[in-house]
Amino acid sequence: MAFQNIIVEIRGQVGLVTLNRPQALNALNEALIAELNEALSDFESNPGIGCTVITGAEKAFAAGADVKEMAQKGYVESYLGKFLDGWTRIAETRKPVIAAVSGFCLGGGLELAMMCDIVIASETARFALPEITLGIMPGAGGTQRLPRFIGKAKAMDLILTGRMMDAAEAERCGLVARVVRPENLLDEAMAAAAKVASFSTPIVMMAKETVNRAQEMSLAEGARFERRLFLSMFATEDQKEGMQAFVAKRKPDFRNR
């Protein structure tokens, strides 16, 4: 399929998606989300891909959901049309996804970044959930994910005032994993993705699932879930290969089985 709103590439074991609506600062409309879901599904079913990077432009990762598209919607139309349902597929992607963020990452753009597993930000990145200024609130998980990232006090500050947070503050409060120079952003994100993709894909997927469960379970339940998956790894060939390679002091040759 020829995509109209994103650019899709495969570089080694890494899938790269570049949001590509420059005329709208990569505002996320329904067509773009549908294309992004299709690209992620393709990468998920491709055994040669171990990790995905989503990035935007230097000026904007994504300046929010497309307000022009939303402005005339009514409740019944939105409800029957399952408005925003397509966004959940992004969060459900089983293989790891890294967001490489430069410039504005606002509203739906920040919600998209928070659905990813690692956020790497350029020094120019700016984050906000400004929906309150439009007479609405975040609707694609912003009120739920942001407190889990940065705590209730900071999340309330951003959601209720709509203020913008720079990359340094975002790193301090745990919203992003690391901040890099603008010219190094994509290289850093691709290097991290290549590292992730070099490991056993099923083991990486189980590790991702376990960390995500930690957001939803008590400590005791999460620890039990972790142990079950940990023990199941001893039924894989990659566990045998990884440990035998360590003992033999050689690089492991993971086969994803």
Side-chain angles (χ1 to χ4, degrees):
M1 175 182 175
F3 294 112
Q4 303 298 315
N5 299 283
I6 60 175
I7 299 170
V8 176
E9 305 172 57
I10 295 177
R11 300 187 185 180
Q13 294 176 282
V14 177
L16 174 62
V17 178
T18 303
L19 308 181
N20 189 40
R21 295 189 71 213
Q23 75 284 0
L25 293 178
N26 289 336
L28 305 172
N29 61 5
E30 293 181 358
L32 187 152
I33 293 298
E35 291 181 7
L36 179 57
N37 283 332
E38 182 170 349
L40 290 174
S41 293
D42 289 345
F43 291 154
E44 189 121 303
S45 62
N46 185 338
I49 301 297
C51 190
T52 297
V53 172
I54 299 176
T55 193
E58 182 177 352
K59 187 174 182 181
F61 173 75
D66 193 325
V67 177
K68 291 181 179 179
E69 185 178 72
M70 291 190 296
Q72 302 305 316
K73 286 185 178 294
Y75 172 71
V76 173
E77 172 197 358
S78 300
Y79 184 80
L80 294 178
K82 298 182 179 180
F83 179 46
L84 295 180
D85 277 12
W87 292 66
T88 60
R89 173 67 183 87
I90 299 164
E92 293 165 0
T93 300
R94 298 177 70 200
K95 292 179 181 177
V97 181
I98 296 175
V101 176
S102 184
F104 295 116
C105 183
L106 312 178
L110 177 51
E111 290 174 309
L112 170 59
M114 289 191 292
M115 292 181 203
C116 299
D117 303 299
I118 301 173
V119 180
I120 299 176
S122 158
E123 293 170 342
T124 67
R126 298 293 181 268
F127 302 90
L129 290 176
E131 286 88 344
I132 201 77
T133 68
L134 302 176
I136 56 173
M137 70 177 190
T143 65
Q144 303 305 298
R145 290 190 176 90
L146 192 62
R148 288 170 166 81
F149 273 92
I150 66 177
K152 176 184 174 181
K154 184 76 76 171
M156 283 289 195
D157 180 15
L158 266 66
I159 292 168
L160 297 185
T161 71
R163 77 172 179 87
M164 203 170 294
M165 180 166 61
D166 64 20
E169 183 181 359
E171 184 181 29
R172 285 196 306 272
C173 66
L175 181 59
V176 305
R178 62 181 99 158
V179 177
V180 301
R181 294 178 64 83
E183 62 270 22
N184 297 334
L185 175 63
L186 188 56
D187 287 343
E188 290 265 0
M190 292 299 292
K195 183 73 169 178
V196 171
S198 72
F199 300 127
S200 167
T201 299
I203 301 300
V204 166
M205 290 167 64
M206 283 189 272
K208 167 177 172 168
E209 181 183 2
T210 306
V211 173
N212 283 336
R213 286 293 188 96
Q215 306 296 315
E216 302 167 357
M217 292 179 168
S218 69
L219 176 58
E221 291 171 322
R224 284 194 292 270
F225 182 82
E226 176 192 71
R227 182 173 299 180
R228 285 195 297 273
L229 282 191
F230 174 76
L231 294 176
S232 75
M233 293 173 182
F234 285 79
T236 68
E237 293 181 20
D238 285 341
Q239 173 269 327
K240 301 295 187 293
E241 168 61 17
M243 291 191 173
Q244 289 169 4
F246 177 83
V247 172
K249 298 182 179 179
R250 62 173 172 81
K251 184 178 179 181
D253 180 19
F254 294 122
R255 301 296 180 87
N256 300 326
R257 54 180 185 246

